[in-house]
Amino acid sequence: MERLVIASPPMATPATAEYLRRLSEQLVAAQRPIRILKSINWGPRVHELFFKSACRELPRPEYPALGFDLKAKTKELRALRAQIRGRNPVEEMLRQKCDEFVLVAEMLAARGTRRFYEFSRKVFGDPRDRFPDVRADNLAIARLWASRPRARDEDLVLSAAQAARMVHQICDPLLGGQVKVVVRTRLTANAAAGATRITLRKGARFSLRQVRALAHHEGLWHVLTSLNGFRQPVLTVMGVGLPRHTESQEGAGIVAEYLTGNITDERYIELGERTIAIDMAARGADFLEVYRYLLARFPPQKAAQMSERVFRGGLVEGGAPFTKDAAYQRGYCRTFNFLRASLEQRDVELVRAFLSGKMSVDDAELVRDLVDDGLAVGPVYLPEWFIDIDRLNAAATHSVTMNRFSLPTVSRYYERRRRGSRTPPRLPTRAVAVGVDDEALPVTADDEADSE
C-alpha cells in the first residue's frame, strides 16, 4: 500500500491534525440525532396486539418522530462534505462517511415505504450479496448455519437483571470501569450496545453461555471499539464508525463469541434464519408468512421478535425488509479470514489497528498507516481473545491446518468404513493423509501459485 500523503508537509503536522480533527468532530456532532434502532424499533404494545389477534393480523407499528429534519440534516451533511477538498485516503473516507449518513437519514425518513428497503440495501447490503474477496454466496452460508444441530444444554436460568450484573463483572475490568449495563423495556433484541452502555431487554431470559457471549460481543467488542475510537486524538469519527463498518463490526462480534468459546450452533442457527427471513420478505413474504416460518423453528415470542427485526422500518405486507441482519454471515467470514491471514503473515500490528475503532476489515491497513503517520493511535482497550495471543494463533493454526482437508472426501472415507467396504479408498497420489485434496496440499517449489 502506498504511503499516505496529504500535502508536501509531513503528514502529522499540527495544522493537518487540527484540520482533520475539526472535520471529524463536526461529522460526529452532525450524526448524533440520527438514531437507527430508536427510530424503527416497535413498542411492546405491537406484539401484545399481535398475540391478542391470535397471530392472524398484520402488526401495525407506529414510529416516533425523527430527531432531525431530513432536509436540514441533508443540507448540513452536504455542506460539511463540501469543506473536505483534499484528494487523499483520509479525506475521501470522511466524504464517504458524509454520504453514508445522508443515506441513513433518507432511509429513516422513508420508514413504512418501499424506498426504505432501497436505502437499507445501499447501507447494509442484501441477503444475496456475494463476498468481495472470495467466490461465496452469503445466503448459502446462512442456509448452512440454519441447518446445523440444535443446542441441547441452553437452559435459560438467568433474568435480565442477573445477566446485567454478570455482563458488568466480565466487561468492567477490561474497559477501565467505563461501561454501564442497564435493563430496559423498549428493545427488539435481547441486548444492544451504545458507546459506553449495554442494554438488556426486560423480561428476557439467558443461559450462562449466552451471558458470557453477550459480554464479549456487546461489551468487549462494540463498546470496546467505540471507546478506542473516541480516544483517537484526530479521527474521533472512528468512535461512531468509518464507512461500511457495520458488516465487520457485527461479524467480529460473533467471531469474539467463537474465539472465547461462548457460542453454540443455536446461535449460528438463529443468525442464519434471520438472513433467510430477510430474503423471504424481500421476495414478497409478509409478516405473517415469515412469522409462521420461524414459528416452526422457535417459540412464539422468539419468532415474533425475530420477525420484527426483519420488518421494522419496512413494509409488514412484504417486499421491503430491514437488511442489517443479512450482514452477519459476510462479516463473520471476512473478519475471521482477515484475522487468520494477518496472523499467517505474522502481522499482529494489523490486527491491533483493527481494534482502534469501528471500521471495516478493508480499512485496517489504512488505519495502521495513520498510526505510523501520527494521525491515529493504537487501541487502549483490548478484547480478551487478543490479549491471549497464543490462543488466537493456535486457533488460526487449527483453521489453516484443517483447510488442507476436504470434508466431503473425509466423510466419504468414513462412510465406506461404516458400510464395511473391503475396497480400500483411493487417495490422491500426492496425499499425505486420508481426505487431503490435491489442490489443498502445501505449495512446493514446483507449484505455480498458492491455492489456499
Side-chain angles (χ1 to χ4, degrees):
M1 183 175 180
E2 295 182 1
R3 298 302 300 153
L4 189 62
V5 178
I6 280 186
S8 54
M11 182 62 179
T13 62
T16 300
E18 181 182 347
Y19 160 72
L20 291 174
R21 182 178 176 88
R22 183 174 69 252
L23 291 174
S24 185
E25 290 287 348
Q26 287 180 285
L27 190 49
V28 170
Q31 61 81 41
R32 282 201 178 97
I34 305 174
R35 290 290 172 261
I36 297 177
L37 299 186
K38 184 177 180 180
S39 300
I40 64 175
N41 281 349
W42 299 355
R45 180 69 175 160
V46 177
H47 287 283
E48 291 175 14
L49 293 175
F50 176 67
F51 284 108
K52 190 174 181 180
S53 74
C55 307
R56 295 175 182 171
E57 297 179 7
L58 288 174
R60 298 298 176 194
E62 295 182 359
Y63 298 110
L66 295 176
F68 61 91
D69 176 79
L70 176 62
K71 186 176 180 180
K73 184 56 64 179
T74 300
K75 182 179 179 180
E76 177 187 4
L77 287 164
R78 287 176 176 162
L80 176 57
R81 189 189 196 282
Q83 297 178 38
I84 310 170
R85 299 180 179 274
R87 299 300 174 195
N88 56 78
V90 178
E91 288 177 277
E92 178 58 28
M93 182 174 63
L94 294 175
R95 281 191 290 270
Q96 290 175 5
K97 196 61 186 178
C98 289
D99 294 339
E100 186 174 270
F101 281 136
V102 169
L103 282 175
V104 172
E106 290 177 325
M107 179 186 75
L108 297 180
R111 293 172 300 179
T113 72
R114 191 168 297 276
R115 293 185 71 241
F116 176 88
Y117 171 52
E118 296 171 7
F119 288 120
S120 180
R121 292 178 68 190
K122 291 178 181 178
V123 176
F124 300 112
D126 184 84
R128 298 193 179 217
D129 284 347
R130 299 185 71 84
F131 288 64
D133 46 0
V134 295
R135 290 184 298 173
D137 185 299
N138 190 68
L139 186 60
I141 293 176
R143 288 170 174 157
L144 170 67
W145 286 8
S147 70
R148 303 304 298 169
R150 307 301 296 253
R152 295 171 295 176
D153 300 314
E154 288 293 283
D155 295 328
L156 307 182
V157 297
L158 298 172
S159 68
Q162 292 171 318
R165 287 193 291 271
M166 284 188 61
V167 169
H168 189 268
Q169 290 170 359
I170 294 170
C171 295
D172 203 51
L174 292 174
L175 297 179
Q178 297 193 59
V179 64
K180 296 180 180 179
V181 187
V182 299
V183 177
R184 294 286 186 269
T185 301
R186 191 179 175 87
L187 200 66
T188 297
N190 282 343
T196 60
R197 185 173 70 180
I198 302 169
T199 305
L200 304 187
R201 184 171 61 84
K202 185 177 182 180
R205 304 286 298 181
F206 303 88
S207 71
L208 289 169
R209 192 196 302 267
Q210 286 172 344
V211 171
R212 293 192 295 268
L214 281 174
H216 288 281
H217 184 130
E218 306 293 347
L220 298 178
W221 183 247
H222 289 326
V223 173
L224 180 145
T225 48
S226 288
L227 290 174
N228 284 334
F230 282 123
R231 289 180 65 94
Q232 290 296 323
V234 177
L235 296 174
T236 52
V237 70
M238 289 169 63
V240 296
L242 299 183
R244 311 168 310 276
H245 76 280
T246 300
E247 177 184 292
S248 297
Q249 183 68 197
E250 296 298 349
I254 307 301
V255 170
E257 297 178 36
Y258 166 76
L259 290 175
T260 57
N262 293 304
I263 199 167
T264 68
D265 268 338
E266 195 69 30
R267 177 70 159 146
Y268 288 114
I269 289 169
E270 179 179 341
L271 294 169
E273 295 289 11
R274 287 185 199 169
T275 298
I276 292 170
I278 292 171
D279 189 65
M280 290 175 61
R283 275 145 186 75
D286 65 19
F287 183 95
L288 295 179
E289 292 173 288
V290 170
Y291 170 74
R292 289 165 187 155
Y293 168 80
L294 294 173
L295 186 62
R297 294 153 176 79
F298 301 94
Q301 291 289 344
K302 181 74 171 179
Q305 179 194 41
M306 292 173 66
S307 298
E308 178 186 342
R309 295 182 69 104
V310 173
F311 288 91
R312 53 186 173 173
L315 291 174
V316 294
E317 297 82 4
F322 180 49
T323 62
K324 175 176 176 285
D325 279 356
Y328 281 79
Q329 284 78 41
R330 290 193 312 275
Y332 175 88
C333 295
R334 296 200 67 221
T335 300
F336 190 83
N337 279 335
F338 162 79
L339 291 176
R340 66 176 187 164
S342 300
L343 295 172
E344 185 73 0
Q345 296 163 10
R346 309 294 194 269
D347 198 348
V348 177
E349 289 308 308
L350 185 59
V351 180
R352 187 180 293 274
F354 181 56
L355 307 177
S356 301
K358 294 182 181 295
M359 70 191 75
S360 164
V361 292
D362 294 327
D363 290 325
E365 198 165 340
L366 170 61
V367 171
R368 179 173 60 181
D369 285 348
L370 294 176
V371 172
D372 292 342
D373 289 327
L375 285 175
V377 295
V380 174
Y381 305 105
L382 300 174
E384 180 188 291
W385 56 261
F386 184 77
I387 293 172
D388 191 351
I389 193 67
D390 289 336
R391 184 173 67 179
L392 180 60
N393 274 316
T397 298
H398 169 80
S399 176
V400 297
T401 299
M402 300 317 295
N403 273 358
R404 302 295 184 177
F405 295 80
S406 162
L407 183 57
T409 301
V410 173
S411 296
R412 287 194 296 270
Y413 167 79
Y414 285 105
E415 177 62 26
R416 285 191 290 265
R417 289 186 63 86
R418 281 193 295 272
R419 291 199 307 263
S421 172
R422 294 184 180 181
T423 304
R426 297 183 61 187
L427 299 178
T429 57
R430 293 171 54 208
V432 295
V434 170
V436 178
D437 269 351
D438 183 59
E439 292 184 353
L441 286 170
V443 175
T444 68
D446 295 328
D447 289 320
E448 293 182 355
D450 191 340
S451 59
E452 185 177 354

